[in-house]
Amino acid sequence: MNMGTQDADADSRVSSIRRRMLGALGAAGITTLAGCPGGSGNGTEEGGGETQTQAQRQTATPSAVDEIVEGGTLNVGLTSNPNSFDPPYSSGVPSTLVQNYFFESMVASDQQGNLYPWLAESYEVADVQETDRTEYADYMTTAPVTTNDDGVPIIDTPEQVVVQHPEDSLTDSAGNPVDEVRILLRDGAFEAATDGVFGMRLRYNLYEGVTFTNGEELTAENVVRSYDRVENSQISAQIFNSFLAAETVDDYTVNLYAQVPDAEAERAIPYFVFSTEQVDLAGGDLDPRQGNPPIGTGPWNFESFEDGSSFRISRRDDYWMEDVGVENKEWFDGPEGFPNGPVLDEINHRFISEGTQRAAALQENEVDVAHGLTASAQTNFQESSDYQTKVVETGGYNFIQYPVQVPPFDQQEVRRAVNHLIPRQRMVDNIEQGWTRPAWIPLAEIAYGSGTTDPEALEEDLRPLNEFDPQRAQELINEADVETPIEVQLETNSNNQNRVQKTQAIAQAMNATDLFDANVETFEFGDLLGRIQDPTYYEQGNIVLIGLSATFNPGSFVGATHDFDNFAQCCNFQRVNFESINEGIDEARFDIDVVGDSQERASRYDELFREVVELSANSYVDIPTTVAVHNNDVNGFDSYPFTEGMYSYATYAPQSQQITYIDRES
């Protein structure tokens, strides 16, 4: 039943939820795959490298305005070539990193995940209604169910499915495909929203006079049309699990609707805004390699890109913040005279895939700043007075995902046996030299607030399930009653030396028991990404070790790897599909009782994370750190919990009084 404006009690509850949400939500973001080392570690005392804890992390002190030097070129060493400049059609960190220079959203965040109006002058949670997805039935149509080449039932429609009726399954009780199911498409979703059937309504008031780099003015229509570009893309499941519709109120006001009450609506629903010139490009064509350099509202102009070699951007002279004035932002509490945009003239990027070569480029002053270095290199730079090391715990983890559809890994006991053969602490100490911490729980500190009621108690509960214990592994294999040794291939990306060493260490530990016959294969990150996102990868029976760059949302630490809607996207590669996990994901986010109530939400995540670790569709290896190293010519540079946002954040983020400048004279 819809509610929210029906009576005084409902009005009071909506008002209360609005207030609670404003205090509970963090930053917007899309979950991506991390291909390089990097992050801040919690740095337990058992580790090396004198890595700082989250509370003691090494960050920059905001620059005094009178010290800021304008101009100059920052030279950056990046780990990987971007696969795409087209945000909805890429899910790897190297791609998202370059996209963040150009594309902006209606909100922005600081290091802690607090939200600030950005392209929007202001916004509000205008309405919350106790709606469930069955209430869209009158706006639904039917679509036939067919099977793909692998015999898997799918909905036979080229259109974006917004909602599948919760009571309609693709198969009958015998497992055979049904004839048809009820689905909500984009037109029906818009009709429902404008009829008053929705879970939440968020209203954004845009600045007038904001322009894209091609001179086009940003209007509400750009915001609405940008969701068209997301349809059936690589991230569509992450957007359309909540987004219902977008509606222009006037030229500079837009309503965004959520399907149901959503504790993450303020960060999950706003997305990048695209220009009219590029919003209708074919998927993947928003890319200089296709003749379409990115056009955005961000503070940088695209200058050049040499595939596999370099990438150059320059500061915009007509950035919209110059007209608005950052001091006129209601939330800004920084010093008078803080810049209205970046102060660097240019940023030159070199793609240097090997960590040792990036370190050498830094030492030879070929680059000013780099990330994704080996643990030993980070330690060496940290001990040198010629360099500064900026560290913050990342919002993600390294994990392995099992082929849960392929025997014998379809048995929980086999997966749990491997989990007990992961030498987490030893890898953190010896390979990472203390720059990461063991992932005893699959949650980073940035998401503790609404992700767990008591992280120490949760770790105490789950750590025994994740300890290195070959004897317990033997017992679990005996319970599974399978033939041994079990042959399996472990796969990871070759350009991450630490990750390769971890994969090898896990394989060695598995083989030392005589329970497994494991081998390791490595692939360049882009090739691995294409491999594991192939819809048939789950049939191959391989184990993959890769990194997840989540968001400030605790649900992203479980939903990306378990939600069936993310199959063949980021980051469900093995067709993971447990009904109880899917229900738990929804209950911890899409419920009016958790909207704005972080403690109730955290309690639900406590139970969900316990079930996730026990089922062991994935094993969580370690929580990395985002580590940036720069020379002393660079001033004010700071790290960020997500590598993909680090450079755009470091060069200009007035919400944190963050600015980077070059001073080569002093």
Side-chain angles (χ1 to χ4, degrees), residues 243-266:
F243 173 76
L244 178 67
E247 172 192 30
T248 57
V249 178
D250 57 40
D251 285 348
Y252 303 103
T253 309
V254 62
N255 285 333
L256 299 183
Y257 295 91
Q259 299 164 20
V260 293
D262 180 2
E264 288 294 324
E266 290 183 66

Side-chain angles (χ1 to χ4, degrees), residues 563-578:
D563 193 329
F564 187 65
D565 287 340
N566 291 324
F567 170 60
Q569 297 191 18
C570 179
C571 303
N572 184 346
F573 322 117
Q574 305 280 20
R575 203 172 173 81
V576 177
N577 190 18
F578 295 103

Side-chain angles (χ1 to χ4, degrees), residues 278-291:
Q278 295 191 327
V279 73
D280 290 323
L281 289 173
D285 279 3
L286 200 169
D287 194 293
R289 286 163 288 202
Q290 304 300 323

Side-chain angles (χ1 to χ4, degrees), residues 160-193:
Q160 175 66 54
V161 176
V162 179
V163 176
Q164 178 183 329
H165 197 289
E167 297 173 359
D168 291 6
S169 173
L170 298 184
T171 58
D172 58 25
S173 58
N176 300 312
V178 299
D179 292 332
E180 61 183 20
V181 293
R182 290 170 289 178
I183 56 173
L184 182 69
L185 301 177
R186 293 290 309 282
D187 288 345
F190 181 80
E191 184 182 356

Side-chain angles (χ1 to χ4, degrees), residues 64-124:
V65 170
D66 59 1
E67 295 177 353
I68 295 174
V69 177
E70 292 200 25
T73 298
L74 180 70
N75 299 301
V76 176
L78 296 182
T79 63
S80 300
N81 196 56
N83 285 339
S84 176
F85 282 72
D86 198 343
Y89 293 90
S90 57
S91 58
V93 165
S95 296
T96 311
L97 186 152
V98 300
Q99 295 158 10
N100 280 330
Y101 284 122
F102 308 108
F103 301 107
E104 297 180 316
S105 177
M106 287 172 289
V107 293
S109 71
D110 59 19
Q111 273 184 328
Q112 291 73 46
N114 301 304
L115 279 178
Y116 302 84
W118 191 250
L119 291 176
E121 183 174 8
S122 64
Y123 77 93
E124 64 171 332

Side-chain angles (χ1 to χ4, degrees), residues 27 152 204 242-243 246 270 291 352 355 385 413 448 526:
V152 176
Y204 296 83
S242 180
F243 173 76
I352 309 173
S385 61
E413 293 82 3
Y448 278 179

Side-chain angles (χ1 to χ4, degrees), residues 445-501:
E445 287 188 18
I446 61 165
Y448 278 179
S450 57
T452 174
T453 58
D454 187 336
E456 292 181 357
L458 186 62
E459 179 175 323
E460 185 177 349
D461 285 351
L462 298 184
R463 181 166 177 163
L465 298 177
N466 291 318
E467 291 276 17
F468 184 72
D469 190 346
Q471 181 176 346
R472 180 58 181 148
Q474 178 72 68
E475 294 170 354
L476 287 163
I477 292 297
N478 292 342
E479 292 175 22
D481 193 24
V482 295
E483 291 187 12
T484 59
I486 299 169
E487 295 184 3
V488 65
Q489 178 165 294
L490 278 63
E491 302 182 345
T492 194
N493 54 300
S494 57
N495 63 317
N496 185 325
Q497 181 179 342
N498 289 7
R499 195 172 290 159
V500 172
Q501 291 179 14

Side-chain angles (χ1 to χ4, degrees), residues 15-38:
S15 179
S16 174
I17 289 172
R18 288 180 191 146
R19 290 194 301 270
R20 284 183 285 152
M21 287 191 73
L22 289 174
L25 285 172
I30 292 293
T31 309
T32 54
L33 285 165
C36 62

